[in-house]
Amino acid sequence: MPLALLHARYQLLETVRIPVAIFGSAFFPAAAMLFFVVPFAGDDPTGATYATAAMVTFAVMSANIFQYGVGVAEDRDKPWDSYTRTLPAGPAPRFAGRILAGLALTYVSMIPVVVIAAVATAARVTPVQFLLGAGAVAVISVPFTLLGLAIGYSLPSKAAIVAAQLIFFPLAFGGGLLSGPDSAPGFIKAIAPYLPTRGAVEVVWAAVTDWRPSALSLVMLGVWIVVLAGIAGWAYRRDEGRRFT
């Protein structure tokens, strides 16, 4: 664990040295809150709470897909990355440190969304719901972390940026993050349960409201986690093999 914390500290310092990386993860969810949630659902306590939870999921997606997808791809180009792979500690502390740093930055990226919801909307949650929501964020980070790792270890940095952008917005729209739980267009309702974003947002909705998640959405979220873990593991092993053969 101390080695994992050391790697996490290194990752955080690297990110803090380029503040725009943190700003980028927080900007899109905060902008969506200001331009869509506040004017259209801000006065409705129920609607604002659901919309805020959706924007929190949006922030989790943004932070993890871009941080891991682009960050890992860029790190692979650095000599330091190849050197750390030769150390006797193995890859586990480095992976754990990256995950811890990513989770910390995920919570940071959520701060503008939560602040906007608190001061500019009628969204309200109890202290227990707030804590449950914070825990749900850690849970739903898993599939998007794995997706980012799969992108980062599969593609060079320039291609990873494009892939992350092409994947991010269709997942957000298709999962119904930009519409209410029951107000999405028909084609969105048809495809949403099969996307990881829908299962993720339903987990957050269940934590902060009385929403009952769809069994299909939760099952598919689990399927996506297994599939993405397999792809990320395969991409890492392939990259490892290319470096040392």
Side-chain angles (χ1 to χ4, degrees):
M1 192 62 181
L3 284 176
L5 293 175
L6 185 63
H7 279 283
R9 179 175 176 271
Y10 167 75
Q11 292 289 337
L12 289 171
L13 287 174
E14 283 288 296
T15 303
V16 170
R17 288 171 183 168
I18 310 175
V20 70
I22 301 175
F23 174 80
S25 296
F27 174 77
F28 289 113
M33 281 289 295
L34 288 172
F35 291 112
F36 296 104
V37 177
V38 173
F40 297 109
D43 295 330
D44 176 12
T46 300
T49 302
Y50 277 105
T52 299
M55 290 304 100
V56 165
T57 306
F58 197 89
V60 172
M61 284 181 61
S62 176
N64 287 284
I65 292 177
F66 286 97
Q67 179 187 183
Y68 293 108
V70 179
V72 168
E74 290 178 343
D75 285 348
R76 287 168 52 218
D77 293 333
K78 300 176 182 177
W80 175 252
D81 185 70
S82 295
Y83 169 71
T84 58
R85 297 191 187 201
T86 66
L87 298 176
R94 188 157 47 91
F95 266 122
R98 189 180 287 276
I99 299 299
L100 290 172
L103 191 58
L105 292 173
T106 296
Y107 282 110
V108 170
S109 72
M110 288 167 39
I111 292 175
V113 171
V114 174
V115 170
I116 292 170
V119 303
T121 77
R124 293 295 180 268
V125 295
T126 66
V128 172
Q129 288 174 326
F130 184 84
L131 292 175
L132 288 174
V137 165
V139 173
I140 68 169
S141 293
V142 174
F144 304 117
T145 295
L146 293 171
L147 176 56
L149 290 172
I151 294 170
Y153 283 116
S154 299
L155 300 170
S157 56
K158 291 182 179 180
I161 295 173
V162 176
Q165 292 171 335
L166 291 176
I167 290 171
F168 176 76
F169 286 105
L171 282 180
F173 283 105
L177 299 188
L178 301 182
S179 56
D182 298 313
S183 61
F187 74 98
I188 295 295
K189 289 183 179 180
I191 66 172
Y194 300 96
L195 298 178
T197 35
R198 184 63 181 196
V201 74
E202 290 200 11
V203 169
V204 182
W205 282 340
V208 299
T209 70
D210 58 358
W211 177 264
R212 296 182 64 181
S214 159
L216 176 59
S217 296
L218 295 181
V219 168
M220 289 307 301
L221 180 61
V223 170
W224 274 102
I225 289 173
V226 172
V227 171
L228 291 171
I231 295 173
W234 167 81
Y236 177 80
R237 290 191 297 272
R238 187 188 67 162
D239 183 62
E240 190 86 356
R242 286 179 175 179
R243 286 172 179 266
F244 299 105
T245 56

